[in-house]
Amino acid sequence: MRREVLYFAKLLAVLTAFLILIASELLAIRLGYGYTVDRMVLAGQEGPMANGLFLAFLRCDFFRLLLPFSFSRMLSTAALLLAATTGAYYAALCERSRCWLGLTAAAVAFAAILRVIGYRLGESVGSAVYRAEGLYPSSILLLALSAGFIWHGIVLYKKGAIA
Amino acid sequence: MKEIRWLKRHVAVPALLAALVTIGAIGMDIYSRKDAEVIELKDLTGNRSELADIRIKGEYTDGYHTTSFQIGDGKVAKSTKLRAQPVAEQPYRYNPGMPKRIGEFEYEVMDIQPTIKIRVRKMNSTGPYASIILNAAASASDPSTVGTTTTHYANVQEYGLTVGNGKLYFTLPITRAYKGSTGIYEWNLDDLRFKRVAEESPLEARTVAEWPLVSEQENPGEAMDVIGLEAVGNSLALVAMQGDKLVVRGYDSASGKVSGEARIAMSGTPIAGERAQAGKPAIEARLNESYQAFSDPEAGTLTLAFHESSDPVGEWGMKIYSFDLSSGVKLVNETRVVYPDQLKSDTFFGYTSMAYRNGKLYMAQLLWDRRDLESDQTFTFSQPRIFLIDVYRNNEHRYEGELKSDMNQDMNQDYARISNPANLDYQFRTFNHVSFQSASREEQP
């Protein structure tokens, strides 16, 4: 019991780090937009676009990766976050306990994460071939891998196999 | 030292909460801004009360979001939906060479003598398509081209194709030189089988109506150039030229019976109104066969808009005819509209919607606006656009309003460079799917 708590505590620490990263990026976008708009207004330039921040979040693939507004995309972002967190932690555990098969699974998760991110950063140009539902299988895969990482991570913890 | 250790132990939970609150707050702030999209009706000429008896519904959209709007009682109501995935959607008007888009499908008519092949495919997809083979095309032939690889048509074949009540209708746009017989053919859209591989799956056509052809030599007054077929509710309208007359013949789409016919003399039509008053010479309104058709099944009317092929310098005009097909075929309205060249109609990215009801012609148009030379751009894509709503009654301009929006701001970044038309589908807001409905119909925007 004690060891599981320890595992989740460490996992939460990594997850917190990722969430702080996203929050600071959103904050930087928000403050950066306000700063630029104020400068444009002060310089008397032709004004910024009406509702520009909203349009930026809508039209920029990277912004929509950070802050999605539809269920399939929110699920995808959450799955990416969870898989990256558990995967990175699990890879470290496997390396310590010399569980090389586990490292392969982490590598599969890493490859899947890269593919999903690549897909989502190209949605604006690829919509003729992409389907809106196209992200559910990858989200389910990433969530299943995360669950596996958590389960096996706890097993490794309990075995005390970590040097 | 002690404080730092205390902080190290207790900072994690507040940091996690702070991150979640920041993400949530910024997310909600951004999401709530979707309602800040501006659509306002500004009166230019006339009184807004001309719009009182209708409800205008439409979409203001780019590839990422759609704001549905509704104008009723002189007020604009709107609601915005964000798309899960960007979609390349354009306001669409048929141009020769492109597939004809109706509803959720696009249609392409291919002439493989002696048969006609119609290819149907889901809109905006590169996916599977359904093929329809029409052998009946062999029954009509042009004696002057028999044995050659040439075929002559009065209009692009896609003009002979129309959709109504879930059914696809087609007639060949034959010229007056054809002999034999021709007809209107029908297929059920539900019967279409979409396949990845080109596979012939002949779908039996139901013949709605068939008639023998009278060639020009036999009876010059009776021979027709068929320039199109349009569906209005349960009626079909065959649009043809007979001599110098425009003929619109109505068919019942179930029984195939001719319900009536309207004829309009085309050549020598004197141009009334402002031009005659301005002392300019009246020219003949020669019409272009690539007309636009607007069917209003609710009111049972069909509106045909012909671009005039010869205009005086500095102007362009359209001749608009409306027919009532609810019982027989009656010409109920004839309107000529004139615009200065600075307000350009665009055959590719432009958008037009019309309807004739309540004794009035309603028109919504997206035009390139070149009136302000300061903002005049070399490349059409970066020119400002204007969305106009017009009401005509008995050839008299009763109302003009501009639906104001921020769509032209999307061109800002393109002032200095050639914009890539491929991006037009995503980044540029535009108006689409505008329809005119009865004001009494209760509906949410």
Side-chain angles (χ1 to χ4, degrees):
Chain A
M1 185 63 211
R2 182 88 185 92
R3 292 204 165 238
E4 282 158 47
V5 172
L6 197 64
Y7 174 86
F8 280 112
K10 301 240 173 187
L11 192 67
L12 203 61
V14 185
L15 199 63
T16 306
F18 269 113
L19 286 172
I20 290 174
L21 177 69
I22 290 181
S24 57
E25 272 170 342
L26 293 180
L27 212 56
I29 292 163
R30 179 69 191 84
L31 294 176
Y33 179 80
Y35 175 72
T36 313
V37 165
D38 285 351
R39 276 186 59 128
M40 283 172 87
V41 171
L42 281 178
Q45 283 175 358
E46 200 175 322
M49 280 182 78
N51 214 9
L53 190 61
F54 167 74
L55 291 172
F57 268 96
L58 204 64
R59 291 171 174 178
C60 174
D61 286 326
F62 176 64
F63 287 10
R64 269 184 294 118
L65 177 69
L66 293 180
L67 192 66
F69 287 113
S70 68
F71 178 73
S72 66
R73 270 39 181 185
M74 282 181 191
L75 186 72
S76 172
T77 294
L80 285 173
L81 202 60
L82 203 64
T85 316
T86 56
Y89 191 31
Y90 180 67
L93 287 178
C94 284
E95 194 273 328
R96 292 283 85 195
S97 55
R98 294 165 191 281
C99 172
W100 306 120
L101 203 66
L103 268 184
T104 320
V108 168
F110 185 63
I113 289 169
L114 283 189
R115 280 201 63 147
V116 172
I117 290 178
Y119 177 99
R120 292 194 51 195
L121 291 184
E123 278 191 305
S124 287
V125 285
S127 72
V129 245
Y130 294 171
R131 279 171 299 124
E133 327 73 84
L135 277 174
Y136 285 118
S138 68
S139 299
I140 290 167
L141 173 74
L142 288 176
L143 288 174
L145 279 172
S146 308
F149 293 155
I150 293 173
W151 169 77
H152 199 232
I154 292 171
V155 169
L156 290 177
Y157 246 82
K158 281 190 171 166
K159 270 206 283 191
I162 303 139
Chain B
M1 232 19 222
K2 227 179 186 178
E3 287 82 1
I4 290 170
R5 202 172 297 146
W6 183 88
L7 208 63
K8 260 181 148 176
R9 271 191 194 167
H10 296 89
V11 82
V13 174
L16 177 66
L17 288 178
L20 287 175
V21 167
T22 309
I23 293 171
I26 291 180
M28 279 172 42
D29 174 39
I30 303 292
Y31 188 69
S32 67
R33 286 169 197 244
K34 77 185 172 78
D35 297 321
E37 288 286 89
V38 175
I39 301 174
E40 277 162 9
L41 185 62
K42 188 185 147 201
D43 300 335
L44 298 178
T45 56
N47 195 326
R48 196 180 287 197
S49 62
E50 294 287 342
L51 297 176
D53 46 4
I54 50 151
R55 190 191 300 271
I56 305 173
K57 285 182 81 173
E59 285 174 2
Y60 171 61
T61 179
D62 68 3
Y64 302 92
H65 71 311
T66 302
T67 303
S68 309
F69 65 89
Q70 186 173 302
I71 306 170
D73 305 325
K75 281 192 286 285
V76 184
K78 57 185 166 48
S79 79
T80 302
K81 278 204 178 79
L82 313 187
R83 293 189 214 268
Q85 185 164 47
V87 179
E89 201 188 343
Q90 295 168 2
Y92 173 81
R93 157 165 151 189
Y94 177 72
N95 276 290
M98 295 163 81
K100 188 169 186 170
R101 294 178 183 174
I102 312 169
E104 51 176 327
F105 298 116
E106 52 184 44
Y107 304 85
E108 220 174 331
V109 181
M110 281 174 280
D111 185 353
I112 309 161
Q113 286 297 327
T115 58
I116 290 284
K117 194 166 164 183
I118 302 171
R119 262 216 208 170
V120 193
R121 160 179 283 173
K122 279 242 166 67
M123 198 109 104
N124 278 326
S125 89
T126 50
Y129 50 80
S131 302
I132 299 169
I133 311 279
L134 180 65
N135 287 312
S139 60
S141 63
D142 182 350
S144 68
T145 60
V146 166
T148 67
T149 49
T150 331
T151 40
H152 293 152
Y153 289 111
N155 204 350
V156 192
Q157 287 112 299
E158 276 87 354
Y159 266 92
L161 188 148
T162 186
V163 173
N165 291 339
K167 291 189 178 79
L168 171 67
Y169 297 96
F170 182 73
T171 192
L172 268 175
I174 54 170
T175 68
R176 60 191 76 190
Y178 274 67
K179 279 182 172 159
S181 67
T182 189
I184 300 172
Y185 309 97
E186 175 198 277
W187 297 269
N188 226 324
L189 284 181
D190 294 336
D191 295 342
L192 293 181
R193 293 279 185 79
F194 291 89
K195 295 207 164 86
R196 279 250 164 233
V197 201
E199 193 183 317
E200 308 289 286
S201 55
L203 199 59
E204 273 305 304
R206 184 179 83 85
T207 306
V208 178
E210 214 162 20
W211 61 91
L213 291 171
V214 189
S215 81
E216 207 175 7
Q217 289 84 14
E218 294 163 35
N219 189 344
E222 274 299 299
M224 292 197 301
D225 285 330
V226 174
I227 59 171
L229 181 71
E230 308 298 335
V232 186
N234 291 321
S235 305
L236 290 167
L238 185 80
V239 186
M241 293 295 292
Q242 202 168 60
D244 55 1
K245 288 189 178 66
L246 175 74
V247 180
V248 175
R249 188 179 287 168
Y251 288 89
D252 185 292
S253 53
S255 69
K257 283 206 182 92
V258 177
S259 59
E261 195 176 277
R263 284 160 179 269
I264 309 156
M266 296 293 258
S267 72
T269 310
I271 290 153
E274 60 266 77
R275 175 136 345 125
Q277 283 162 13
K280 289 181 189 167
I283 55 150
E284 280 183 17
R286 271 180 287 270
L287 302 176
N288 204 325
E289 71 277 359
S290 59
Y291 64 87
Q292 293 183 78
F294 304 94
S295 155
D296 186 342
E298 203 181 69
T301 61
L302 174 71
T303 300
L304 302 178
F306 291 87
H307 269 265
E308 288 173 359
S309 53
S310 55
D311 287 308
V313 176
E315 280 180 359
W316 64 275
M318 275 191 289
K319 199 88 174 138
I320 302 165
Y321 301 101
S322 300
F323 302 90
D324 185 352
L325 279 96
S326 48
S327 62
V329 180
K330 271 197 301 275
L331 174 72
V332 283
N333 188 53
E334 196 177 330
T335 300
R336 184 167 184 275
V337 299
V338 185
Y339 288 95
D341 270 352
Q342 283 80 15
L343 286 178
K344 264 189 355 182
S345 163
D346 185 315
T347 54
F348 202 79
F349 295 108
Y351 179 79
T352 311
S353 179
M354 292 184 202
Y356 182 81
R357 49 168 63 219
N358 313 329
K360 285 185 267 188
L361 176 73
Y362 300 95
M363 199 159 92
Q365 273 194 108
L366 184 68
L367 300 168
W368 300 109
D369 183 0
R370 305 180 66 179
R371 287 173 301 183
D372 177 12
L373 284 174
E374 285 285 302
S375 70
D376 196 13
Q377 299 297 316
T378 320
F379 305 105
T380 325
F381 301 123
S382 36
Q383 280 166 13
R385 292 163 300 161
I386 183 169
F387 193 73
L388 293 174
I389 292 174
D390 290 279
V391 181
Y392 290 85
R393 189 200 280 268
N394 300 329
N395 207 12
E396 185 194 338
H397 198 180
R398 299 297 287 264
Y399 172 77
E400 183 163 67
E402 183 192 348
L403 208 51
K404 281 196 138 338
S405 69
D406 294 322
M407 65 178 169
N408 286 332
Q409 291 185 356
D410 290 343
M411 313 292 184
N412 284 352
Q413 58 170 330
D414 290 285
Y415 269 9
R417 64 180 169 91
I418 308 172
S419 97
N420 175 9
N423 285 337
L424 266 165
D425 331 344
Y426 299 102
Q427 299 263 340
F428 293 67
R429 282 168 289 183
T430 185
F431 287 92
N432 208 354
H433 302 304
V434 178
S435 64
F436 303 89
Q437 300 175 349
S438 155
S440 52
R441 217 156 83 174
E442 278 304 318
E443 263 182 272
Q444 292 301 309

